[in-house]
Amino acid sequence: MTVPFTLALHGGAGTIAPTHPMAEAPYHEAMRVAMAAGITVLGAGGSALDAVVATVAWLEDCPLFNAGHGAVFCADERHELDAGVMDGRTLAAGGVAGVRTIRNPVRAALEVMYEGRCVLMGADAAERLAAERGLAIVEPSYFSTPHRLAQLHEVRARRGALAALDHDREPPQDEDSPHRYGTVGAVARDRRGHLAAATSTGGMTNKVPGRIGDSPIVGAGVYANDTTCAVSCTGTGEHFIRACLGHDVHARMRYGRQDAGTAAREALAQTLAPLGGRGGMVVVGRDGQLAMPFNSRGMYRAWVHEGDEVGTAIFK
Amino acid sequence: MTVPFTLALHGGAGTIAPTHPMAEAPYHEAMRVAMAAGITVLGAGGSALDAVVATVAWLEDCPLFNAGHGAVFCADERHELDAGVMDGRTLAAGGVAGVRTIRNPVRAALEVMYEGRCVLMGADAAERLAAERGLAIVEPSYFSTPHRLAQLHEVRARRGALAALDHDREPPQDEDSPHRYGTVGAVARDRRGHLAAATSTGGMTNKVPGRIGDSPIVGAGVYANDTTCAVSCTGTGEHFIRACLGHDVHARMRYGRQDAGTAAREALAQTLAPLGGRGGMVVVGRDGQLAMPFNSRGMYRAWVHEGDEVGTAIFK
C-alpha cells in the first residue's frame, strides 16, 4: 500500500525586506526547480531521504541561497558550511561541521550517515571522507559571490559605527540585516510513508570562525522520525540549539499528542520565541500534513502534495 | 525561600567488568572528592551551574576517568576532548568539540556560554577563546596515560584479529571492551531551585579523529531546564545523539507529565535501547528527585541530597 508523497523546502528565513515583485521572481523560480529535483525522486518511487538530499543539493548549487555556492562569509572572509540529514525510518543521521571544500555539504552528511562510525563529523575528517567517497571537491573560492562579500562589509561597517557610538555595549546582533541568516532545507514523506529531513547552511554573515550552528545537529536544525514528523529549521541557530527545536516538534506530537501543525506552531511560539529566537521551519507529519510556520518577516518556502501544483511563497 | 540542594555525578558507563573490591576503592574515593568540590559550592549558596562545573573539572583532572587527564586515545594516538554545560535557569548553553590543549574542557564550554556568540564551538576557535580567558593550556601529552595507550593497542589488536578472521564483515564495535566508552558529568539543583548540567569526555578509544560525540550537544549528552530536569549522559554517544536523549527526558516530563524517575527510565528503555544504545545518565528533577538509570553492566555514580551522606556505586 502506498500513500501520496509530500515535499517541502525552505530557502531561509530572517527579516527579508519586501521588495519589488520583479526581484522576488528568481527566488520563486529557483524554488520550483529545486522542488522538481525532489519530485523526480519521489515520483519514481524513490525514498524521502534521496528526495530531500536532491532538493537541498540543488539549493546548495544555487547562488541565491545561503548554502553551498552563495554561502555567507565568516568574520575571517572565508566560508564554513554545515549540513545534516536524518532518515525517519531508521533514525540514522549524519552531519558535517565547518567544511570548506565540499561542493555539496548535504551529500557529505549523507556519507557520514552511511559510513556509520559517527553522526557528527568535524571539517577535516569530513573532507577526507568526502574525497574518499568521490564527492565533488572545490576550491574554497567556489562558494564566494560578490553579493555576500558586500553583505559582510555592510555588517562590519554597521557594527563599527554602533561600537563607536557606545563602547560599553556589545553591538546588537544585526538581526534586522537582510540575509544575515539563512539556511536551506527540505522535508519529505515518500510513497511508502517514510520521512526524512535535510538542512544545509553557510552560517551567519560575520560569524566567529569555528561556530557550529543548528543545521547539522540532530534534534535542533534537522530531525526526522517516522512515528511523528520530519523537521528542517532556519533562523537564529543558537536559539534553535538551546530549544532543541526539531526534537521539540516531535516530542509535542509523541508525548503531547498534538498534530504536526499545532506542534510546529506551538514549538515556535512557546519554546523558541521566549528565548528570543527568530526564524521558521518546514515540517511534514507522518499523515502528510505540512506546516511551515515562521516568526520572521518572511521565509522562502515551497511545497507540494502528490498530484497538486507546487506552491511557493516568501511572506505571510 | 530556599530548597535543599541536590548533586549527582557519573564517571562513565559501559560494560565495566566486576573486579576485586580493592580495585574499585579508588573510584569510590575519587567520586567522593569530586562530590566534595560541588558540595562546597552548593553549601556556600553557590549556583548549580558553578557546582556542576567544579565537580566535572575535578573529574577531568582525575586520571581514572575518560575526560581531561586520562582521556582515551583516538585512532591517530592523539586526544580530542568534548564538553558541554547548560544552565536550566536561562537555557544558556556552551560546548566545545575536539579540543586538544585545554586542561579543563568543561571550563572552556562555560566560557563559550558566557561569551554568548555561539553555543557550540569547534576546536581551534575554542582553544583561542580559552587562552584569551586565561584558562589553563597544556601540552597535548598532558592528557595521556600509559593505561589508555594500552587500551588503544588492545582494541586495535582485537579488531585486527577479527578482521583477519572474516574480511567481509566489519569488526564489531568492541562494546564489550571495558573502558572503551566513558564520560564524566554532573547535575545539580541549588538552594534557589535552579538546575544545571555538565558533561565532558575524551571520546571513544580508537575513534575516528574529528568525530563529535553527544557530550557537548544540547539535548543529547547534556540538558538542563528549570521547568523539568537536568540531565548528563554517558554511553554509546551516536545513539544518544539520534535519540536526543537529554531532551527526551525533559519532553517526557513536560509534555507527557512524567516524574523525573519515570521519564529517565522510559527514555532509556523506550527511546535509547531500541536504537541499540547502551549507557546511562544522571538526572535531577526540579523537585530534587534523582534518577540514575543505566542499561550497561555498571555506571560510576555518586549522589547527595543536602543533609544526607554522599552515596557512591558502580554496579546495580
Side-chain angles (χ1 to χ4, degrees):
Chain A
M1 198 186 110
T2 62
V3 296
F5 69 70
T6 307
L7 175 69
L9 68 78
H10 66 79
T15 50
I16 301 157
T19 56
H20 193 278
M22 288 288 284
E24 293 169 14
Y27 290 92
H28 290 285
E29 180 58 24
M31 291 195 288
R32 284 181 187 281
V33 180
M35 288 294 286
I39 290 168
T40 299
V41 173
L42 293 167
S47 70
L49 183 66
D50 288 340
V52 295
V53 170
T55 304
V56 168
W58 199 94
L59 292 166
E60 287 176 338
D61 288 344
C62 175
L64 292 172
F65 303 105
N66 176 24
H69 181 54
V72 299
F73 285 83
C74 296
D76 65 357
E77 300 206 357
R78 301 199 296 175
H79 306 281
E80 291 182 349
L81 311 169
D82 298 340
V85 298
M86 189 162 185
D87 183 353
R89 186 172 66 84
T90 59
L91 304 185
V96 296
V99 301
R100 293 172 175 280
T101 65
I102 301 167
R103 173 173 158 168
N104 290 112
V106 72
R107 296 197 190 281
L110 188 66
E111 292 298 336
V112 169
M113 186 188 114
Y114 284 146
E115 197 219 21
R117 280 191 299 169
C118 69
V119 170
L120 182 56
M121 201 179 266
D124 295 347
E127 295 187 347
R128 278 194 300 274
L129 178 67
E132 280 169 26
R133 299 298 170 108
L135 298 191
I137 303 298
V138 294
E139 289 298 315
S141 61
Y142 161 79
F143 300 110
S144 303
T145 56
H147 174 60
R148 298 297 190 192
L149 192 58
Q151 282 176 2
L152 175 66
H153 294 157
E154 179 201 324
V155 165
R156 279 197 188 147
R158 190 180 321 166
R159 288 173 77 95
L162 285 163
L165 284 173
D166 185 347
H167 281 284
D168 295 332
R169 283 183 52 189
E170 179 73 5
Q173 291 297 305
D174 291 315
E175 298 198 1
D176 291 339
S177 177
H179 302 289
R180 176 162 152 70
Y181 298 102
T183 311
V184 305
V187 294
R189 180 179 76 157
D190 63 32
R191 286 186 181 151
R192 287 182 297 274
H194 298 308
L195 307 183
T199 308
S200 178
T201 187
M204 292 190 305
T205 297
N206 203 33
K207 83 176 177 87
V208 53
R211 172 229 189 209
I212 301 170
D214 63 314
S215 301
I217 296 182
V218 170
V222 63
Y223 189 75
N225 189 318
D226 273 5
T227 67
T228 53
C229 62
V231 186
S232 174
C233 298
T234 175
T236 56
E238 276 61 28
H239 299 114
F240 286 71
I241 296 176
R242 293 163 55 203
C244 300
L245 204 71
H247 191 261
D248 196 61
V249 176
H250 156 81
R252 287 171 182 271
M253 296 180 70
R254 181 71 169 264
Y255 306 126
R257 306 196 176 282
Q258 295 183 340
D259 61 31
T262 307
R265 204 166 48 244
E266 294 197 356
L268 193 74
Q270 297 174 9
T271 305
L272 184 76
L275 298 177
R278 294 185 71 75
M281 63 187 123
V282 291
V283 177
V284 59
R286 61 177 294 189
D287 61 357
Q289 184 186 163
L290 281 174
M292 295 173 283
F294 55 97
N295 66 3
S296 45
R297 202 179 295 170
M299 179 171 77
Y300 299 104
R301 60 201 187 278
W303 62 93
V304 71
H305 293 284
E306 183 171 5
D308 288 353
E309 294 291 304
V310 171
T312 64
I314 301 177
F315 301 102
K316 303 241 188 217
Chain B
M1 197 187 112
T2 62
V3 296
F5 69 70
T6 307
L7 176 69
L9 68 79
H10 66 79
T15 49
I16 301 157
T19 56
H20 194 278
M22 288 289 284
E24 293 169 16
Y27 289 91
H28 290 286
E29 180 59 24
M31 290 194 287
R32 284 180 187 282
V33 179
M35 288 294 285
I39 290 168
T40 300
V41 172
L42 293 167
S47 71
L49 184 65
D50 287 341
V52 295
V53 170
T55 303
V56 168
W58 198 93
L59 292 166
E60 287 176 337
D61 287 345
C62 175
L64 293 173
F65 303 105
N66 176 25
H69 181 54
V72 299
F73 285 83
C74 296
D76 66 357
E77 300 207 357
R78 301 200 295 176
H79 305 282
E80 292 182 348
L81 311 169
D82 298 340
V85 298
M86 190 162 185
D87 183 352
R89 185 172 66 84
T90 58
L91 304 186
V96 297
V99 301
R100 294 172 174 279
T101 64
I102 301 168
R103 173 172 158 169
N104 291 112
V106 72
R107 295 197 190 282
L110 188 66
E111 292 298 336
V112 170
M113 185 187 115
Y114 284 145
E115 197 219 22
R117 280 191 299 169
C118 68
V119 170
L120 182 56
M121 200 179 266
D124 295 347
E127 295 187 346
R128 279 194 300 273
L129 178 67
E132 280 169 26
R133 299 298 170 108
L135 298 190
I137 303 298
V138 294
E139 289 297 315
S141 61
Y142 161 80
F143 301 109
S144 303
T145 57
H147 174 59
R148 298 296 190 193
L149 192 58
Q151 282 176 2
L152 174 67
H153 293 157
E154 180 199 325
V155 165
R156 280 198 188 146
R158 190 181 321 166
R159 289 173 75 95
L162 286 163
L165 284 173
D166 185 346
H167 282 283
D168 296 331
R169 284 183 51 189
E170 181 72 3
Q173 291 298 307
D174 292 316
E175 298 198 2
D176 291 341
S177 175
H179 302 290
R180 175 161 151 71
Y181 299 101
T183 311
V184 306
V187 294
R189 181 179 76 157
D190 63 31
R191 286 186 181 151
R192 287 183 295 275
H194 298 308
L195 307 181
T199 308
S200 178
T201 187
M204 293 190 304
T205 297
N206 203 34
K207 84 176 175 86
V208 53
R211 172 227 189 211
I212 301 171
D214 62 314
S215 301
I217 296 182
V218 169
V222 64
Y223 189 75
N225 189 319
D226 274 6
T227 67
T228 52
C229 62
V231 185
S232 174
C233 298
T234 175
T236 55
E238 276 62 26
H239 299 114
F240 286 71
I241 296 176
R242 293 163 55 202
C244 300
L245 203 71
H247 191 261
D248 196 62
V249 176
H250 156 80
R252 287 170 181 271
M253 296 179 70
R254 181 73 169 264
Y255 306 125
R257 306 195 176 282
Q258 295 183 339
D259 62 30
T262 306
R265 205 166 48 244
E266 294 197 355
L268 193 73
Q270 297 174 10
T271 305
L272 184 77
L275 298 177
R278 294 185 69 77
M281 63 186 122
V282 291
V283 178
V284 60
R286 62 177 295 191
D287 61 356
Q289 185 185 164
L290 281 175
M292 295 174 282
F294 55 96
N295 66 4
S296 45
R297 202 180 293 171
M299 180 172 77
Y300 299 105
R301 59 201 187 278
W303 62 92
V304 71
H305 294 283
E306 183 171 6
D308 288 353
E309 295 290 306
V310 171
T312 64
I314 301 177
F315 302 102
K316 304 245 185 213

